[in-house]
Amino acid sequence: VITMRWGVAVVATAALALAAGCGSDSSSSGGSGGGVKAPEGPKAPTKLGANEGQVNLVAWAGYVEDGSTDPKVDWVSDFEKQTGCQVNVKIGNTSDEMVTLMRTGKYDAVSASGDATLRLIAGGDVAPVNTDLVPNYADVFPGLKDKPFNSVDGQMYGIPHGRGANLLMWRTDKVKGNPDSWSAVFDQASANKGKVTAYDNPIYIADAALYLKATKPELKIDNPYELDETQFKAAVDLLKAQRQNIGEYWSDYTKEQAAFSSGDSVVGTTWQVIANLLEADKVPVKTTLPKEGATGWSDTWMVSSKAQHPNCAYAWLNHIISPKANAEVAEWFGEAPANQKSCALTAVKDHCKIFHADDEAYFDKVAFWTTPRKDCGDSRGAKCMDYSQWVQAWTEIKG
Amino acid sequence: VTALPAPPSGRAGRRLAATLWRHPRLQLSALLAGPIGWLVIAYLGSLAVLFVAAFWHLDEFSGLVVKDYSLTNFQTLLEGHVYREIVLRTALIAAAVTVTDAVLAFPIAFTMAKLSSARTRGLLVVAVLMPLWASYLVKVYAWRVILQEDGILNWALGPLGLHGPGFGNVATWLVFSYLWLPYMILPIYAGLERIPNSLLDASGDLGGRPGVTFRRVVAPMAFPAVVAGSIFTFSLTLGDYIAPQLVSSTQFIGNVVYTNVGVANNLPLAAAFATVPVVIMIGYLLVARRLGAFDSL
């Protein structure tokens, strides 16, 4: 018995010592303030040097394909041969994971969505990009340049990759009429009780805010990502009401594809690529950009402020938006390419038409994902709900 | 004279062997240093780090972890009624799964232990273990196919004018009950096998009907085994977050932890919430020990 006690004491002491060791190295937090200010440190290069032989990327699945997923899908091998830059890729599953990976300083470039870009800029994790060193930037659609989610004070912090909108999709055989409004998933959702779906992510709160912007003008919502307490509460209440009609949420595209083909979901938000896959399987679905507009994503390739292979990173930036590579990645992922010349090179001839690549009027109705911050960005000041509050609200909505 | 192993050659080796022989406790320590070190550093160490991290919090502006100690996270968890609901739901479904599995497992285990021939017993053991060879994900996706709108269950119930439960709490209960059933059957089987047949015969000889024999002989002796099995079914359900995500939009404790780590990057809140199942399990294990479950493991 005595040895037993002794053993327990040793174990407990060791555990405490370990814990204390962890607690003692308290690091100071780099408070960067609510507004996005370009940090002092990182500068854009003025000229490029010799390639370093390799480049480490953080990317969405499907953005960096070297033929290992599908032998026909490969826009990396040629790049490696031409530049001598060996490409190492780490797949980021969420915007938040990408931010965490970039903060390690081990990666040279990242394909960040608008809900990650501002966090990376504010944290000083990425450097401004000298677009003169990326020749293909000249062919990028003007509608993608100098946007609030990829630039600060006219200085670009990355190279646009491509964009898409979150659309309303429905089963034509199960849903009556042709919905043209998000009311199909909000105020009228009970018509399809238990068969409504929604995107399982806090950023979906913006979809509710966008709908309220059109239907409840008294809330004075301007930007669905800049919500003060009253506006935020209205959006959350709308989503809690919607919850009663949700069959299941979807977070990865295969889950929504399965739910729509089996009929477990008949109406809800979607990406164009999912609708294409369903149509290929002969599932009767239709999509629309509802009259209230929509949320969407616009991705940006950014270069780390601690990049160890900046020259190869710039070579990659130029390659991924080159007409051919950008056409290939846009088709593989199912989005609008960033390069105007890509439209002539897609395998499916009217790809750019299907994804509205050159339709600025279409994208004017799209509110691209961006990180909700405390600072509203207008006269209201620091009164808005930040992302961590969005996350907690999302847990509450799902219940 | 007992045969001792040949002493190692060399003076140092011989001295070491002699020292170890003279100090059995030293010998034991050297033997256990590896496993205990692993247990303390990798297992208890990570638990300790988790517990410490639960007292940190996030900086509002930069979203970085601030390593100051405060009770902010626990306050958030206590004040948000949604967290209480999630804990309650997780525990209730885990309890329902445990009861379901106990009810299903007992007859199977009894058949295996007392009624089958050696050959049938072997086949039954294989049948019980077989599902464990298949991947967890494959089994959960199979249940998706069964439960979905145009799935087998609705096809079978359709002619009767009935409709399956769809994806929700009922689906999670069904899937978990299926997944963890073998973990309940095996301990009960082991427990029942330890009851001597002579006791059952004696009960019968003394006039005990089967019902009485079961209630007064089998049940009390097998109960610790059922509790032992329930530790598995309960803790496995309590900690799971993948199945709820795949067959429902229900949130378990694990889903909230996952969201806070993966989506929100709020490690401290996740750590604070992760202490809840640890506390629940400590309580459960203390009760299980009282009920003698550890004697039949």
Side-chain angles (χ1 to χ4, degrees):
Chain A
V1 177
I2 289 164
T3 46
M4 180 74 180
R5 285 265 165 80
W6 181 78
V8 169
V10 167
V11 166
T13 316
L16 279 176
L18 205 65
C22 278
S24 60
D25 65 324
S26 59
S27 69
S28 63
S29 65
S32 53
V36 172
K37 298 244 164 38
E40 292 296 305
K43 292 264 186 322
T46 49
K47 62 179 182 1
L48 292 178
N51 288 339
E52 296 90 347
Q54 61 171 326
V55 61
N56 300 323
L57 306 174
V58 174
W60 290 106
Y63 272 18
V64 182
E65 292 291 333
D66 62 357
S68 52
T69 310
D70 180 337
K72 291 193 287 287
V73 180
D74 181 0
W75 50 88
V76 169
S77 302
D78 282 348
F79 168 78
E80 289 179 334
K81 257 177 254 154
Q82 285 159 17
T83 61
C85 300
Q86 164 77 32
V87 175
N88 308 311
V89 61
K90 169 82 185 159
I91 301 297
N93 292 308
T94 61
S95 289
D96 312 279
E97 200 178 311
M98 289 186 172
V99 172
T100 311
L101 286 169
M102 287 310 284
R103 286 196 171 144
T104 63
K106 288 179 188 158
Y107 301 91
D108 302 309
V110 58
S111 67
S113 290
D115 51 337
T117 49
L118 294 186
R119 276 182 270 171
L120 290 168
I121 296 172
D125 304 302
V126 291
V129 166
N130 183 349
T131 52
D132 294 340
L133 300 176
V134 184
N136 286 321
Y137 182 72
D139 299 324
V140 168
F141 287 106
L144 283 168
K145 295 179 178 177
D146 294 321
K147 290 288 162 188
F149 52 82
N150 61 17
S151 67
V152 175
D153 301 334
Q155 169 64 57
M156 286 298 283
Y157 269 77
I159 300 296
H161 168 97
R163 56 186 167 172
N166 301 310
L167 304 172
L168 178 65
M169 175 164 72
W170 69 95
R171 281 275 296 249
T172 52
D173 56 338
K174 302 266 169 80
V175 175
K176 285 189 215 98
N178 278 339
D180 65 340
S181 160
W182 288 113
S183 64
V185 294
F186 292 120
D187 291 335
Q188 318 286 325
S190 52
N192 295 294
K193 193 170 169 63
K195 302 282 172 67
V196 178
T197 189
Y199 185 53
D200 188 2
N201 192 287
I203 209 76
Y204 184 71
I205 295 172
D207 286 59
L210 194 80
Y211 176 71
L212 291 173
K213 177 184 174 180
T215 54
K216 290 244 168 68
E218 68 271 21
L219 285 168
K220 295 198 180 71
I221 294 176
D222 176 40
N223 180 328
Y225 303 96
E226 294 166 356
L227 304 174
D228 60 36
E229 208 170 334
T230 329
Q231 298 167 339
F232 189 71
K233 193 174 173 305
V236 169
D237 287 345
L238 182 64
L239 289 166
K240 281 183 180 163
Q242 184 200 41
R243 177 72 179 96
Q244 309 306 318
N245 300 304
I246 295 274
E248 54 173 353
Y249 291 95
W250 66 276
S251 50
D252 73 288
Y253 75 92
T254 49
K255 190 176 174 188
E256 174 164 64
Q257 199 190 338
F260 265 83
S261 53
S262 65
D264 284 290
S265 298
V266 298
V267 62
T269 178
T270 191
W271 298 335
Q272 184 64 47
V273 60
I274 304 174
N276 295 351
L277 291 167
L278 284 166
E279 275 166 15
D281 288 345
K282 307 262 183 295
V283 180
V285 292
K286 258 192 182 171
T287 59
T288 188
L289 184 77
K291 59 186 180 195
E292 295 91 359
T295 58
W297 75 92
S298 183
D299 292 348
T300 308
W301 280 99
M302 308 181 107
V303 177
S304 168
S305 53
K306 303 180 201 80
Q308 277 142 32
H309 314 99
N311 297 310
C312 270
Y314 267 79
W316 172 258
L317 259 52
N318 192 44
H319 173 73
I320 195 64
I321 60 158
S322 64
K324 187 156 170 292
N326 203 230
E328 285 174 321
V329 70
E331 278 202 287
W332 175 247
F333 191 80
E335 62 188 346
N339 193 317
Q340 306 178 35
K341 290 181 178 167
S342 296
C343 291
L345 298 172
T346 51
V348 174
K349 279 300 147 223
D350 51 356
H351 178 87
C352 279
K353 210 172 164 59
I354 297 171
F355 288 90
H356 307 272
D358 50 359
D359 189 352
E360 288 308 327
Y362 174 90
F363 282 112
D364 278 346
K365 294 176 105 181
V366 175
F368 291 114
W369 282 345
T370 184
T371 311
R373 288 177 297 113
K374 190 125 191 125
D375 184 356
C376 298
D378 53 31
S379 57
R380 287 173 298 175
K383 289 247 174 76
C384 282
M385 308 304 269
D386 68 9
Y387 189 58
S388 69
Q389 285 162 309
W390 282 48
V391 176
Q392 285 188 18
W394 188 246
T395 305
E396 240 173 79
I397 290 162
K398 286 182 74 188
Chain B
V1 177
T2 47
L4 286 169
S9 57
R11 193 169 281 195
R14 190 175 303 189
R15 207 180 301 149
L16 182 68
T19 316
L20 285 177
W21 187 77
R22 259 182 272 116
H23 302 277
R25 194 174 281 184
L26 191 65
Q27 200 177 349
L28 191 69
S29 313
L31 191 68
L32 292 181
I36 289 190
W38 195 88
L39 190 74
V40 171
I41 293 166
Y43 192 76
L44 291 177
S46 60
L47 272 182
V49 172
L50 177 95
F51 194 65
V52 170
F55 293 94
W56 294 341
H57 60 94
L58 277 199
D59 183 77
E60 237 177 89
F61 292 112
S62 60
L64 298 172
V65 174
V66 184
K67 293 178 181 172
D68 295 335
Y69 296 96
S70 74
L71 292 169
T72 330
N73 299 316
F74 292 98
Q75 210 176 337
T76 311
L77 294 179
L78 284 175
E79 281 169 3
H81 65 98
V82 65
Y83 298 106
R84 277 200 299 276
E85 244 169 68
I86 290 168
V87 170
L88 203 64
R89 175 192 304 134
T90 312
L92 281 179
I93 292 183
V97 167
T98 302
V99 171
T100 313
D101 276 348
V103 170
L104 290 177
F106 206 94
I108 302 174
F110 193 80
T111 312
M112 283 162 66
K114 296 290 170 210
L115 305 178
S116 334
S117 64
R119 194 182 137 79
T120 331
R121 180 180 306 166
L123 286 175
L124 280 172
V125 170
V126 170
V128 168
L129 292 179
M130 192 103 84
L132 298 181
W133 298 354
S135 154
Y136 168 96
L137 278 180
V138 172
K139 288 183 279 186
V140 180
Y141 271 109
W143 271 97
R144 259 196 87 89
V145 176
I146 294 171
L147 293 169
Q148 73 190 17
E149 194 58 31
D150 56 359
I152 302 162
L153 189 66
N154 283 340
W155 170 79
L157 291 177
L160 306 171
L162 295 172
H163 194 269
F167 298 132
N169 287 341
V170 178
T172 43
W173 167 68
L174 277 173
V175 172
F176 279 132
S177 298
Y178 161 76
L179 282 174
W180 311 137
L181 186 60
Y183 297 95
M184 183 62 100
I185 294 178
L186 292 176
I188 298 184
Y189 164 66
L192 285 173
E193 215 180 23
R194 246 180 283 164
I195 302 175
N197 285 336
S198 54
L199 287 185
L200 307 187
D201 294 340
S203 171
D205 292 346
L206 292 170
R209 293 166 181 279
V212 174
T213 307
F214 178 80
R215 221 173 41 246
R216 303 192 49 185
V217 180
V218 179
M221 294 188 78
F223 185 66
V226 176
V227 178
S230 80
I231 294 172
F232 293 119
T233 54
F234 189 81
S235 68
L236 287 170
T237 312
L238 200 68
D240 203 284
Y241 67 98
I242 298 169
Q245 221 172 355
L246 290 179
V247 297
S248 75
S249 287
T250 302
Q251 293 189 104
F252 270 42
I253 295 173
N255 297 100
V256 177
V257 172
Y258 179 79
T259 314
N260 274 298
V261 175
V263 178
N265 221 357
N266 194 344
L267 199 67
L269 186 65
F273 206 37
T275 55
V276 174
V278 175
V279 171
I280 294 179
M281 270 330 284
I282 288 174
Y284 197 98
L285 290 174
L286 287 176
V287 173
R289 198 182 65 160
R290 263 288 148 78
L291 297 173
F294 295 124
D295 305 330
S296 59
L297 270 180

